[in-house]
């Protein structure tokens, strides 16, 4: 939700900021703006629309400043408009601020500032921040070195909610101040340049050395130096972290869209996720975890909590953990879990899945579980993300940066990781026959090759997309593990093609939804669960009788004449079948979106990382 970029160095800031915004546009794209420190004071250029719009504004190429901040917005408070775009300035135009997050008490602060003579020009929550900084700055009678920092700090201590903030000032022409709470912000460092961003990939082409800020840590930057302070403004030391991702992973590399690239990156991503965690003749290794047999034996329940696609990955984790370990698993949507007073104690283990590691609801659900005495494990893709700072244990998918808003490789890598975790639990518990676990492990090791084979359905899917891209409603069916995939397939389609779609457990169909099936409607079914295939086929038969057009994804030999299109995928272990069966559905959503001429990577109303409730 919103992306922020910053630069302080020796080069012109504007082109660097615009390049950063372009790379960060997947976080929000309804308006964009920049502010730089110029000889005459602070520049401010912003407008609604995409970053391209901003790049074309008159005068933008004349900006000379070597320090600047920039923002791409996903509107929360106030419609997309020039006034509501960031950066925002205080009334005297001394401070420019960009902000990602939500200020929950902005109404009170606005009232307070209005009573103190400030005027507001936007409907945003953010505009209170520069004015509050100005308020504290002018009230402060001490004129020492820390005056600027103190004003920013005092303003931040009044804010309730979440924020990552960058501040520049016309009075401090060699500095920038940044701070975060519950919203992401990283600082990339080179000798005499510092790059700031909401996400690492946006600045990966400049450096691989990053500082990751914790909540309420302030950084005072100059070109050659960074000083870190805690909320009492006492100096703290922070270690620089080296990030392994390479910069080409944040580029399209010849693909038309990031989504297609990321679909095709899945064999590699899965290899990375498996890493050295699976060994055929020894136990699975998670050096990050130290859960004992006694602890796992005493568990009453495991919760898997996440949002959207990550929650769908959790559903496949439930299937494997319950079958291998016989521990009850409940999968919950984070935004529901956190408010439904879940039954938690030291006998519940809570697993949180989040690609970005920044999803507000998932993090809040994790905090709640910890407070109530449960152990917490975070599964995430982003090293140092907020969730990893909260969880008792963090395990990484290592899928590489995912830029397209619609999640693909992150999903399959989450599915594989939670399956490996289930094997690890089963081995610690000594619950399952070694041969069964070894068979599953060897099937997991074969997956990257089988994903490559599955991807050869590309043309078949492309042709099917041409036939159905104008449809208004599409249904997805599956049973057991296939139902979890049909949910994910349906979500993918909605997100990027804007076609209404529903996913149903095939057996539920005749309890209501079959009333919607009429002549010519498309029904997509996943058939990989050998024990349930016959049952699902009976349900498909019911929709065929009512005139439905059917696409079937299967790893079994079927009577192909029964269906309009059959996509054959390689057979694999039932537990990990979602990793293969989702691929045709990812491609289908992609090609339908392309046929409709939509922006695949940046679907309307969505943003990559949902850092607000
Ligand atoms: C869909 C999608 C979203 C995310 C959800 C959680 O393609 O990407 O449904 O899965 O917003 O995001 P993370 O995993 O970052 O917590």
């Amino acid at each position: 939700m919103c992306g922020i970029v910053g630069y302080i160095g020796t080069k012109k800031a504007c082109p660097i900021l615009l390049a950063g915004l372009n790379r960060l546009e997947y976080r929000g794209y309804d308006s964009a703006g920049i502010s730089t420190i110029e000889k005459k004071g602070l520049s401010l250029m912003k407008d609604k629309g995409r970053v391209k719009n901003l790049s074309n504004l008159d005068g933008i190429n004349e900006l000379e400043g070597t320090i600047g901040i920039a923002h791409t917005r996903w509107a929360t408070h106030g419609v997309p408009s020039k006034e509501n775009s960031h950066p925002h300035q205080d009334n005297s135009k001394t401070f420019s601020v960009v902000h990602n997050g939500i200020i929950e008490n902005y109404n009170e602060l606005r009232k307070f500032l209005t009573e103190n003579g400030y005027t507001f020009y936007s409907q945003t929550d953010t505009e209170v921040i520069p004015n509050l900084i100005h308020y504290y700055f002018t009230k402060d009678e001490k004129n020492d070195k820390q005056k600027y920092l103190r004003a920013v700090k005092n303003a931040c201590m009044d804010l309730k909610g979440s924020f990552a903030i960058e501040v520049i000032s016309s009075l401090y022409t060699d500095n920038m101040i940044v701070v975060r709470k519950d919203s992401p912000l990283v600082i990339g460092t080179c000798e005499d340049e510092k790059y700031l961003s909401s996400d690492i990939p946006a600045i990966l082409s400049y450096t691989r050395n990053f500082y990751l800020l914790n909540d309420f840590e302030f950084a005072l930057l100059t070109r050659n130096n960074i000083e870190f302070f805690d909320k009492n403004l006492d100096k703290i030391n922070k270690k620089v972290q080296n990030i392994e991702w390479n910069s080409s992973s944040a580029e399209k590399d010849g693909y038309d869209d990031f989504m297609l690239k990321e679909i095709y990156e899945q064999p590699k991503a899965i290899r990375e996720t498996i890493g050295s965690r699976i060994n055929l003749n020894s136990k699975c290794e998670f050096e990050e975890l130290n859960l004992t047999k006694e602890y796992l034996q005493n568990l009453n329940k495991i919760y898997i909590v996440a949002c959207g696609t990550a929650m769908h990955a959790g559903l496949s984790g439930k299937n494997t953990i319950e079958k291998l370990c016989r521990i009850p698993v409940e999968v919950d949507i984070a935004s529901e879990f956190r408010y439904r007073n879940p039954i938690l104690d030291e006998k519940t283990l809570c697993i949180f899945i989040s690609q970005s590691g920044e999803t507000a609801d998932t993090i809040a659900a994790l905090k709640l579980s910890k407070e109530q005495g449960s152990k917490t494990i975070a599964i995430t893709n982003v090293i140092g993300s907020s969730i990893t700072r909260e969880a008792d244990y963090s395990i990484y998918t290592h899928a590489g940066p995912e830029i397209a808003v619609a999640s693909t490789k992150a999903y399959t890598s989450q599915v594989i990781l939670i399956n490996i975790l289930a094997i690890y639990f089963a081995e610690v518990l000594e619950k399952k026959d070694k041969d069964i676990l070894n068979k599953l492990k060897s099937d997991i090791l074969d997956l990257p090759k089988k994903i490559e084979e599955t991807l050869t359905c590309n043309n078949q899917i492309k042709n099917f997309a041409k036939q159905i891209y104008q449809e208004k409603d599409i249904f997805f069916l599956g049973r057991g593990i296939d139902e979890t995939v049909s949910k994910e397939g349906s979500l993918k389609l909605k997100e990027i093609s804007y076609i209404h779609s529903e996913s149903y457990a095939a057996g539920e169909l005749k309890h209501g939804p079959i009333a919607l099936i009429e002549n010519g409607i498309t029904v997509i079914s996943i058939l990989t669960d050998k024990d349930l295939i016959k049952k699902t086929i009976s349900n498909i038969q019911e929709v065929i009788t009512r005139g439905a057009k059917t696409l079937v994804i299967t790893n079994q030999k079927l009577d192909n004449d029964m269906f309009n299109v059959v996509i054959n995928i390689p057979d694999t272990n039932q537990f990990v079948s979602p990793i293969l069966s989702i691929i045709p559905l990812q491609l289908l959503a992609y090609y339908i979106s392309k046929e409709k001429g939509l922006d695949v990577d940046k679907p309307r109303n969505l943003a990559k990382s949902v850092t607000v409730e």
Side-chain angles (χ1 to χ4, degrees):
M1 301 269 124
C2 305
I4 57 182
V5 201
Y7 175 75
I8 171 161
T10 48
K11 304 190 188 92
K12 270 194 191 182
C14 180
I16 294 170
L17 295 171
L18 290 175
L21 286 185
N22 272 315
R23 292 202 193 99
L24 265 193
E25 221 186 12
Y26 60 92
R27 294 184 65 91
Y29 26 90
D30 57 45
S31 27
I34 84 169
S35 178
T36 51
I37 303 181
E38 300 292 318
K39 288 207 179 86
K40 288 194 230 142
L42 296 177
S43 74
L44 180 66
M45 298 218 157
K46 54 187 191 174
D47 208 349
K48 69 174 183 184
R50 294 274 168 106
V51 175
K52 210 155 98 209
N53 228 28
L54 175 69
S55 320
N56 292 334
L57 290 185
D58 281 349
I60 198 147
N61 294 323
E62 279 123 56
L63 296 178
E64 298 284 338
T66 56
I67 299 179
I69 57 179
H71 188 269
T72 177
R73 181 169 185 247
W74 186 90
T76 56
H77 295 71
V79 295
S81 68
K82 182 171 177 182
E83 294 67 38
N84 290 335
S85 309
H86 297 219
H88 288 280
Q89 292 185 325
D90 67 297
N91 289 174
S92 72
K93 303 193 188 314
T94 310
F95 301 99
S96 283
V97 168
V98 289
H99 161 228
N100 174 18
I102 285 197
I103 306 305
E104 288 163 7
N105 59 337
Y106 82 101
N107 268 329
E108 294 147 48
L109 294 171
R110 207 171 156 123
K111 187 162 170 278
F112 166 79
L113 288 164
T114 310
E115 283 162 7
N116 279 279
Y118 290 84
T119 307
F120 288 88
Y121 300 96
S122 80
Q123 296 141 357
T124 64
D125 51 341
T126 303
E127 202 183 355
V128 296
I129 304 172
N131 285 307
L132 214 47
I133 295 172
H134 179 266
Y135 170 82
Y136 280 113
F137 189 82
T138 47
K139 283 268 169 294
D140 193 338
E141 282 168 9
K142 267 208 228 155
N143 248 328
D144 60 357
K145 247 176 76 188
Q146 281 207 340
K147 181 169 178 154
Y148 179 22
L149 190 59
R150 221 165 26 241
V152 175
K153 180 236 142 171
N154 285 335
C156 288
M157 296 323 273
D158 283 352
L159 306 178
K160 294 209 171 84
S162 56
F163 48 85
I165 296 169
E166 295 172 353
V167 190
I168 53 174
S169 169
S170 54
L171 300 177
Y172 296 87
T173 52
D174 290 319
N175 291 121
M176 181 187 303
I177 296 178
V178 302
V179 54
R180 74 179 283 273
K181 184 199 161 252
D182 294 337
S183 280
L185 184 68
V186 297
I187 305 173
T189 174
C190 309
E191 215 166 289
D192 52 3
E193 289 174 303
K194 310 287 169 263
Y195 297 86
L196 298 105
S197 173
S198 310
D199 273 349
I200 289 170
I203 49 177
L204 208 51
S205 56
Y206 306 113
T207 179
R208 296 227 205 133
N209 295 325
F210 289 88
Y211 288 102
L212 307 174
L213 287 182
N214 289 322
D215 282 356
F216 281 115
E217 285 181 349
F218 295 80
L220 175 65
L221 300 126
T222 59
R223 290 173 179 85
N224 315 311
N225 192 28
I226 312 177
E227 288 179 291
F228 296 101
F229 300 87
D230 65 14
K231 61 166 115 174
N232 302 315
L233 294 192
D234 289 330
K235 262 198 184 180
I236 49 172
N237 289 321
K238 290 195 72 76
K239 269 202 189 138
V240 72
Q241 302 208 19
N242 188 268
I243 303 291
E244 282 167 15
W245 293 347
N246 64 32
S247 59
S248 88
S249 47
E251 306 292 340
K252 284 190 194 156
D253 270 353
Y255 284 90
D256 284 352
D257 303 278
F258 278 111
M259 183 178 175
L260 191 63
K261 177 183 176 236
E262 287 158 9
I263 291 174
Y264 273 86
E265 274 174 352
Q266 289 179 106
K268 179 168 175 268
I270 294 296
R271 256 183 220 111
E272 295 290 327
T273 310
I274 299 170
S276 57
R277 284 165 172 151
I278 291 231
N279 299 300
L280 276 188
N281 292 309
S282 57
K283 291 189 174 172
C284 280
E285 281 177 28
F286 274 100
E287 57 192 26
E288 309 88 334
L289 300 177
N290 60 349
L291 302 175
T292 61
K293 183 173 179 181
E294 194 193 1
Y295 169 75
L296 290 174
Q297 261 170 346
N298 282 330
L299 287 178
N300 286 334
K301 184 179 272 188
I302 295 178
Y303 282 107
I304 302 178
V305 184
C307 301
T309 288
M311 191 276 287
H312 295 155
L315 292 171
S316 78
K318 169 185 167 75
N319 181 53
T320 317
I321 297 173
E322 287 191 340
K323 290 197 171 126
L324 293 185
C325 309
R326 305 311 291 163
I327 303 173
V329 179
E330 209 169 307
V331 180
D332 222 325
I333 298 167
S335 55
E336 291 294 317
F337 180 85
R338 62 183 290 198
Y339 292 118
R340 73 170 171 81
N341 198 6
I343 302 166
L344 294 160
D345 57 25
E346 65 288 347
K347 289 190 173 179
T348 45
L349 169 65
C350 298
I351 302 172
F352 299 86
I353 309 180
S354 174
Q355 186 284 130
S356 61
E358 302 295 344
T359 302
D361 282 318
T362 311
I363 294 173
L366 187 150
K367 286 182 181 165
L368 174 80
S369 313
K370 255 174 87 175
E371 277 161 26
Q372 314 242 342
S374 303
K375 272 202 195 336
T376 56
I377 300 179
I379 294 183
T380 184
N381 192 33
V382 181
I383 295 170
S385 54
S386 300
I387 204 164
T388 64
R389 287 169 233 187
E390 301 289 344
D392 295 313
Y393 307 102
S394 297
I395 49 182
Y396 290 101
T397 46
H398 297 302
E402 190 179 68
I403 310 285
V405 166
S407 187
T408 54
K409 65 175 179 171
Y411 167 76
T412 43
S413 66
Q414 288 160 352
V415 172
I416 203 67
L417 191 52
I418 197 139
N419 270 277
I420 302 174
L421 192 62
I423 304 175
Y424 166 83
F425 290 162
E427 286 176 337
V428 174
L429 284 165
E430 295 171 327
K431 262 265 158 78
K432 209 75 191 170
D433 198 305
K434 264 196 188 143
D435 290 343
I436 296 181
L437 295 180
N438 256 341
K439 170 80 178 78
L440 175 54
K441 286 181 187 177
S442 108
D443 288 337
I444 288 179
L445 291 171
D446 282 345
L447 276 174
K449 215 168 60 232
K450 290 189 177 176
I451 299 175
E452 275 160 19
E453 265 177 67
T454 310
L455 284 164
T456 60
C457 72
N458 184 70
N459 284 343
Q460 215 184 342
I461 292 287
K462 202 170 176 177
N463 289 335
F464 188 65
K466 287 197 173 104
Q467 291 169 38
I468 64 164
Y469 75 96
Q470 283 170 320
E471 296 198 1
K472 297 274 174 281
D473 305 284
I474 293 184
F475 289 84
F476 289 78
L477 300 181
R479 279 177 185 254
I481 192 73
D482 293 332
E483 196 223 337
T484 69
V485 177
S486 80
K487 279 193 160 67
E488 174 57 10
S490 169
L491 177 63
K492 225 61 328 158
L493 187 71
K494 284 186 192 87
E495 273 181 284
I496 58 165
S497 76
Y498 315 151
I499 294 179
H500 165 251
S501 79
E502 300 276 355
S503 155
Y504 283 103
E508 267 295 287
L509 204 62
K510 50 180 146 323
H511 298 286
I514 200 162
L516 296 170
I517 303 296
E518 53 189 37
N519 207 23
I521 204 148
T522 295
V523 177
I524 298 175
S525 312
I526 300 103
L527 292 170
T528 72
D529 193 331
K530 296 177 190 74
D531 298 333
L532 300 171
I533 278 183
K534 283 207 177 111
K535 309 252 174 235
T536 312
I537 290 185
S538 306
N539 302 124
I540 303 175
Q541 191 65 64
E542 290 158 8
V543 298
I544 292 175
T545 308
R546 284 156 184 85
K549 214 165 42 250
T550 52
L551 171 82
V552 161
I553 293 158
T554 185
N555 54 17
Q556 301 300 304
K557 283 213 159 29
L558 302 179
D559 171 9
N560 283 10
D561 293 342
M562 219 179 127
F563 314 105
N564 295 81
V565 180
V566 176
I567 307 286
N568 289 108
I569 58 171
D571 196 8
T572 184
N573 200 300
Q574 197 55 59
F575 290 124
V576 288
S577 66
I579 290 170
L580 303 181
S581 51
I582 193 60
I583 287 171
L585 299 180
Q586 295 170 340
L587 287 168
L588 184 66
Y590 174 79
Y591 283 117
I592 290 181
S593 179
K594 289 302 271 187
E595 280 298 325
K596 292 179 85 166
L598 301 174
D599 188 339
V600 175
D601 286 339
K602 297 178 201 121
R604 71 183 177 204
N605 303 340
L606 293 174
K608 185 69 186 161
S609 158
V610 185
T611 52
V612 295
E613 271 197 58

